[in-house]
Amino acid sequence: MDTAHKTDEEKKEFFDTPEELDRKIGILAELIKHSRHFVAFTGAGISTSAGIPDYRSGVNTVLPTGAGVWEAKAKKLPPAKANFRKSMHSAVPTPCHMALCALEARGYLKFLISQNVDGLHRKSGFPPSKLAELHGNTNLEFCKKCKRKYMRDFRCRTAEKVHDHRTGRFCDDPACRGELYDSIINFGENLPEQELEDGFVNSARADLHLAMGSSLRVTPAADMPYETAKKGGKLIIVNLQATPLDKVAFMKINALIDDVMTRLVQKLDITIPPFILRRRLGASKVNVEKSGRTVETFLLRGLDSDNCPFSYLSGMDIQIEAPMRGTVSLPKEPYRLTPTQVDFMSGKIKATLKFQGHYQEPPLTIPFSLGEFKLNKERVYLMEFNTATLAWSVTAL
């Protein structure tokens, strides 16, 4: 399916005057205040200010990432403004991403649909239960056998063939051990059923739908904003280029997305929160089968906000402080200690967590008193990293 822009008119960027832009944002703010079911829809355009190029911007775009991926390929251009571009793993969620989090937290935004695979919505802190990533997430893989999902702080996709999604890893459930697959949806592949259903159900229910940074050309994703307009809801589009749905939109805003969202939340008396990198650590005593016998272990594991297993560590060092001293290095998952390494009744340890370092995260040390833990009763710790001060804080949940 070819959805690339081919004519200069399709690539042309439009801008509202300052007065017109302020008037439109004021209208949008009032619509949000009085909405019953407000839904947002995002495309690649919301991540360009994070340093991730979009697909269809022309050579003369005002965007700092330069020409879109497909435009650059068609014109055989070298990477434009490469000093601004970021990898998906080190990109920081934009003011738009964080504004959407604030709108959801305030109770205005009921559901978010995204075509993006960069993972910035989940990274920003947006609740996964209210998010449909239609085209997958570069950091998410899943087991087809038991449907379990796994988040990774690295690119899940490893296959070279377009329609081969096996990652070479396996489900860590001993009763399953099914093959894991990346979640990326390529052209010609079906969208995930649950995300597809959630997107259409919420779009049909929406009385207000805000589509941002999308050409609205790729279906069935683009059919979701259209569903809102078809059902009588108000569709608002924020995009520099024209889209096929402009004719059914209640209002089209021609401006940079971060400018729109920053001014929008100001009119709603909402402050955009700073980006904080959040990681969760689960700690528990669990039994495992080893050589035909049951062995009690102390397990440390990464978790996402929805308790999905999350691999964000590059290793871990355990400093045993009582009743004996010693150090255990755990270079890879699963991060487990056994009674042969430490006393589970009176042992005291300090676990030094080593991170992938996409945001220059330094190691973090957390103390544990093993006697306080009961079998199969997991304790969860929230670790928050301030990317401005490069400092960690830890809270027991």
Side-chain angles (χ1 to χ4, degrees):
M1 179 180 182
D2 186 1
T3 65
H5 290 339
K6 296 180 174 62
T7 68
D8 289 339
E9 188 62 26
E10 289 176 319
K11 301 169 189 175
K12 186 177 179 180
E13 296 178 344
F14 299 88
F15 296 89
D16 292 331
T17 65
E19 296 77 18
E20 184 71 1
L21 179 59
D22 188 65
R23 183 185 71 84
K24 289 181 177 180
I25 295 174
I27 292 173
L28 177 56
E30 288 302 311
L31 290 173
I32 290 174
K33 286 180 183 177
H34 297 96
S35 64
R36 298 184 306 276
H37 197 78
F38 169 36
V39 172
F41 181 97
T42 63
I46 75 158
S47 295
T48 54
S49 65
I52 301 172
D54 64 13
Y55 296 95
R56 297 174 179 82
S57 290
V59 173
N60 297 318
T61 181
V62 300
L63 299 177
T65 42
V69 173
W70 291 343
E71 175 75 357
K73 184 177 181 180
K75 300 288 187 181
K76 298 181 180 179
L77 300 172
K81 307 176 186 179
N83 61 317
F84 180 79
R85 294 191 178 191
K86 300 285 186 182
S87 74
M88 291 185 183
H89 305 299
S90 60
V92 172
T94 68
C96 175
H97 288 96
M98 302 312 300
L100 290 170
C101 288
L103 287 168
E104 186 280 327
R106 186 64 68 92
Y108 288 125
L109 183 58
K110 300 302 192 293
F111 199 77
L112 174 59
I113 304 165
S114 184
Q115 296 172 287
N116 298 342
V117 302
D118 54 35
L120 289 180
H121 282 307
R122 284 185 74 137
K123 192 173 289 185
S124 71
F126 200 90
S129 62
K130 297 182 180 181
L131 170 67
E133 294 176 305
L134 300 179
H135 297 158
N137 183 322
T138 189
N139 301 119
L140 182 68
E141 59 184 328
F142 66 98
C143 175
K144 285 186 177 181
K145 189 176 176 182
C146 72
K147 310 303 181 185
R148 192 175 192 186
K149 296 180 178 180
Y150 296 83
M151 283 293 292
R152 313 293 190 190
D153 201 17
F154 51 81
R155 185 174 186 263
C156 289
R157 185 164 175 78
T158 59
E160 296 181 359
K161 295 182 179 180
V162 173
H163 299 301
D164 180 7
H165 293 277
R166 293 171 297 179
T167 65
R169 291 176 287 272
F170 296 86
C171 181
D172 63 12
D173 184 345
C176 178
R177 299 298 294 167
E179 286 187 300
L180 298 186
Y181 295 76
D182 72 66
S183 59
I184 300 301
I185 304 297
N186 295 314
F187 278 115
E189 297 177 339
N190 294 328
L191 269 61
E193 292 181 5
Q194 190 61 58
E195 283 77 1
L196 190 65
E197 179 181 354
D198 289 345
F200 274 114
V201 167
N202 280 276
S203 295
R205 186 181 173 190
D207 59 335
L208 179 62
H209 201 135
L210 177 61
M212 300 179 288
S214 173
S215 68
L216 298 175
R217 289 171 175 264
V218 178
T219 58
D223 293 332
M224 295 177 187
Y226 178 70
E227 183 74 9
T228 298
K230 186 174 70 173
K231 296 285 187 180
K234 291 180 172 62
L235 171 61
I236 312 298
I237 299 174
V238 183
N239 206 54
L240 293 180
Q241 298 172 337
T243 84
L245 296 189
D246 288 357
K247 59 183 178 294
V248 299
F250 177 78
M251 185 169 64
K252 172 71 180 299
I253 300 177
N254 304 288
L256 294 173
I257 294 168
D258 284 345
D259 290 348
V260 173
M261 294 303 288
T262 300
R263 293 167 67 173
L264 173 64
V265 295
Q266 286 176 349
K267 289 182 181 293
L268 292 170
D269 196 27
I270 295 175
T271 300
I272 296 179
F275 168 59
I276 299 295
L277 181 68
R278 292 180 173 87
R279 299 291 188 235
R280 287 169 174 79
L281 182 74
S284 61
K285 288 179 179 177
V286 295
N287 288 332
V288 298
E289 295 297 322
K290 189 174 182 179
S291 301
R293 62 190 184 92
T294 301
V295 178
E296 186 178 15
T297 66
F298 183 67
L299 174 68
L300 294 171
R301 64 178 187 136
L303 299 169
D304 202 15
S305 60
D306 59 352
N307 285 329
C308 170
F310 194 173
S311 301
Y312 54 74
L313 296 171
S314 62
M316 184 184 301
D317 288 335
I318 306 295
Q319 184 69 38
I320 302 171
E321 300 200 322
M324 60 191 76
R325 290 185 173 274
T327 301
V328 178
S329 179
L330 303 175
K332 62 181 182 179
E333 296 176 313
Y335 301 114
R336 287 196 181 107
L337 289 174
T338 67
T340 61
Q341 297 169 309
V342 61
D343 187 331
F344 278 17
M345 297 302 294
S346 61
K348 296 183 182 296
I349 66 171
K350 288 183 178 179
T352 299
L353 314 182
K354 302 175 183 178
F355 300 89
Q356 298 290 337
H358 300 306
Y359 299 95
Q360 303 179 54
E361 315 99 288
L364 173 64
T365 300
I366 303 177
F368 298 97
S369 295
L370 302 191
E372 298 176 357
F373 289 81
K374 296 181 180 180
L375 188 65
N376 297 324
K377 299 292 184 181
E378 187 170 49
R379 296 185 181 185
V380 178
Y381 300 81
L382 174 63
M383 303 172 290
E384 297 182 305
F385 180 66
N386 188 314
T387 56
T389 63
L390 302 183
W392 284 104
S393 63
V394 181
T395 305
L397 299 180

